[in-house]
Amino acid sequence: MNSQSTNSSSAMFSDSLMSADDALSFLIDSASVTAMTEAVSLDDSLGRILASDIHSTINVPGFDNSAMDGYTIALNDNQVAQENLSFDVVDRIAAGSTGNDLKIGNAARIFTGAPIPNGANTVVMQEECTLSEDKSQITVKRAINLNENIRPTGNDILKDNVILSSGRQIKPQDISLAASVGVGELVVFKKIKVGVFFTGDELVEPGNPLTPGKIYNSNRYALVALLKQVGCDVINLGNIEDKLDATCEALEALESQCDLIMTTGGVSVGEEDHVKPAVEKLGELNLWKIRMKPGKPLAYGKVKQTPFIGLPGNPVSSFVTFCIFSLPFIKKMQGNSNYESKILKVKTNFDCKRAKPRREYARVRIDHSTETPLANLFPKQGSDVMSSVVWADGIIEIPENTTFETGTILNYYSMSELTR
Ligand code: AMP
Ligand code: MG
């Protein structure tokens, strides 16, 4: 593989200030859908991404059937819309069986889902029928019309129609639909493998005592959880010694077995950190300063041919940049056609008197008791305040270079959408 590769984009964006929208477009354009697919059973398909359209080879239902427990009747033309009619009950049809042809003027006991016999043209629910003592006859007081309570062939699905499209993330209801047309296996994209490691001399693993100047490594756990939640296989090398050789070794180990490599931290200045020079040595790196808060530094590049994303070190920055930039990138790689995060509109319960040069992705909690959902800011919006993310329902986009009054409608991403 070419370890000296460069491209024009790296020259274009290297070390430059960039808008969040440009960074996201660039990342999405750079992501390529995994080529690997596999067949999985319906039970194993939940959350996977369909790799081909599913066509139905049958009608569902495959036959006209009763929507009710009751009596199916072969109405004569002159009985249509007439009241107080009586019919001989000549047959009994349970779901799963078939009845005999019904002669005009006769009725058959029928149950929900049972096929309408030849000759029958309507169903009356049992609550509306009076059964004679010897059970040989029913009388229906109300007027009866044709085709009552009959579910016609193909009512749900027509033969040859596409029932599920490629690129769809499979939900329980999709599994139900596939099962209803008799499909037992689905061809899905293989899970992508994401390799991660972490650097920083200040980091201590949870469960161990802290010594002066040290902090717990929280990003490691956030990133692994986010990747697992979005359905990636994770190869976690843990903490890597902050030395160039060790960092290069880690990158090379991951490059050979992963579809994507991710790290957090060490992409702001680089003096104490070897991720930047190591990636540059083995491939290419764009170090972006994105006009956003939290976040700012984001690294995107390649280790040989494997894409690399370096998230910032501050926990909130790392979390938010994952959600805003990496998630759509990963979803596109996974083959998900719905890779862009859904934007909702909410009303601010706060104002902004001083325009800021960077777009803010502020953590807010939503009050749904008002007509338009109202966004309340977490009081501390620092990039080190992870409690803000835990408290929040989602993230509001405060546009750059703008002032606004309380009650302004802004873009909002729910946390469940950003981590799905
Ligand atoms: P850096 O981007 O490496 O300069 O780090 C920025 C800030 O994030 C510093 O305060 C780091 O201590 C902190 N930080 C970096 N990595 C982690 C991590 N894995 N867990 C928690 N905090 C981190
Ligand atoms: Mg660092």
Side-chain angles (χ1 to χ4, degrees):
M1 281 189 227
N2 177 9
S3 60
Q4 300 298 313
S5 68
T6 54
N7 67 21
S8 56
S9 62
S10 95
M12 187 157 56
F13 292 113
S14 221
D15 294 321
S16 59
L17 259 174
M18 215 182 180
S19 76
D21 292 336
D22 285 348
L24 181 58
S25 306
F26 183 85
L27 277 173
I28 286 176
D29 288 348
S30 309
S32 43
V33 177
T34 176
M36 309 282 273
T37 63
E38 61 183 332
V40 293
S41 73
L42 291 184
D43 282 338
D44 292 331
S45 69
L46 184 64
R48 304 294 298 272
I49 311 295
L50 261 187
S52 63
D53 291 349
I54 308 294
H55 293 80
S56 177
T57 57
I58 58 169
N59 290 311
V60 179
F63 46 87
D64 294 357
N65 69 92
S66 178
M68 293 286 174
D69 289 343
Y71 293 86
T72 185
I73 302 165
L75 273 187
N76 205 341
D77 287 348
N78 60 20
Q79 293 176 315
V80 174
Q82 298 301 307
E83 295 174 1
N84 277 317
L85 297 175
S86 294
F87 307 91
D88 288 341
V89 180
V90 299
D91 201 0
R92 186 178 188 281
I93 314 161
S97 66
T98 54
N100 300 313
D101 294 2
L102 206 58
K103 285 207 187 80
I104 290 291
N106 280 347
R109 181 80 171 110
I110 197 163
F111 297 89
T112 306
I116 304 294
N118 284 333
N121 47 25
T122 198
V123 172
V124 179
M125 61 196 281
Q126 60 193 24
E127 291 83 348
E128 294 175 330
C129 302
T130 312
L131 195 58
S132 65
E133 228 162 81
D134 66 357
K135 299 190 169 146
S136 66
Q137 259 203 349
I138 53 162
T139 305
V140 183
K141 278 208 178 115
R142 69 160 177 87
I144 312 168
N145 285 304
L146 295 175
N147 296 316
E148 285 188 46
N149 301 313
I150 293 177
R151 303 189 286 212
T153 303
N155 192 38
D156 186 3
I157 297 163
L158 287 174
K159 184 170 180 275
D160 297 330
N161 279 6
V162 173
I163 58 159
L164 297 167
S165 300
S166 176
R168 184 179 173 94
Q169 183 162 34
I170 299 165
K171 302 180 185 71
Q173 54 269 43
D174 303 339
I175 296 174
S176 169
L177 207 65
S180 77
V181 303
V183 170
E185 277 191 338
L186 297 173
V187 177
V188 298
F189 289 105
K190 276 199 172 164
K191 289 189 177 190
I192 66 166
K193 283 201 183 83
V194 183
V196 298
F197 67 90
F198 305 84
T199 61
D201 289 343
E202 72 275 37
L203 300 177
V204 172
E205 285 309 292
N208 296 297
L210 281 181
T211 50
K214 307 284 185 190
I215 60 164
Y216 285 120
N217 182 354
S218 57
N219 289 346
R220 166 174 173 172
Y221 296 90
L223 183 58
V224 170
L226 283 163
L227 289 168
K228 283 187 177 166
Q229 179 150 289
V230 67
C232 298
D233 282 336
V234 180
I235 299 176
N236 182 2
L237 297 188
N239 284 19
I240 297 295
E241 209 187 344
D242 227 351
K243 297 214 167 90
L244 185 63
D245 283 357
T247 311
C248 285
E249 258 172 48
L251 287 170
E252 282 189 300
L254 292 177
E255 179 276 328
S256 60
Q257 48 178 334
C258 294
D259 303 296
L260 171 65
I261 300 172
M262 294 188 78
T263 59
T264 73
V267 289
S268 41
V269 226
E271 201 173 290
E272 279 288 312
D273 180 83
H274 294 100
V275 175
K276 184 175 182 268
V279 175
E280 279 168 341
K281 189 174 169 208
L282 297 172
E284 58 182 88
L285 189 76
N286 307 304
L287 195 53
W288 297 333
K289 294 188 188 78
I290 301 176
R291 282 194 297 271
M292 67 182 281
K293 211 180 141 193
K296 205 168 177 189
L298 182 73
Y300 173 70
K302 280 190 172 158
V303 177
K304 299 188 180 167
Q305 296 307 311
T306 304
F308 167 85
I309 296 177
L311 300 175
N314 278 303
V316 180
S317 309
S318 170
F319 194 94
V320 170
T321 49
F322 178 91
C323 295
I324 301 293
F325 301 111
S326 310
L327 188 75
F329 182 89
I330 288 170
K331 284 186 165 295
K332 188 174 167 197
M333 282 188 86
Q334 290 172 320
N336 193 331
S337 53
N338 180 23
Y339 52 79
E340 285 180 61
S341 300
K342 203 185 296 145
I343 299 174
L344 304 175
K345 299 286 179 186
V346 295
K347 205 184 248 188
T348 61
N349 201 16
F350 55 91
D351 60 11
C352 177
K353 297 279 188 231
R354 204 161 43 88
K356 293 164 191 157
R358 290 196 275 159
R359 178 185 294 176
E360 270 191 53
Y361 290 90
R363 275 75 66 215
V364 292
R365 200 179 259 192
I366 302 297
D367 175 0
H368 286 284
S369 67
T370 50
E371 199 178 330
T372 313
L374 207 57
N376 294 290
L377 269 184
F378 190 77
K380 290 188 198 167
Q381 292 286 334
S383 59
D384 56 332
V385 184
M386 197 59 189
S387 322
S388 67
V389 181
V390 172
W391 177 87
D393 294 325
I395 287 176
I396 199 167
E397 226 178 68
I398 300 178
E400 49 274 58
N401 307 317
T402 311
T403 59
F404 58 85
E405 299 300 325
T406 297
T408 302
I409 305 283
L410 294 181
N411 289 343
Y412 167 80
Y413 303 90
S414 74
M415 209 57 94
S416 55
E417 176 70 13
L418 287 176
T419 58
R420 83 197 148 97

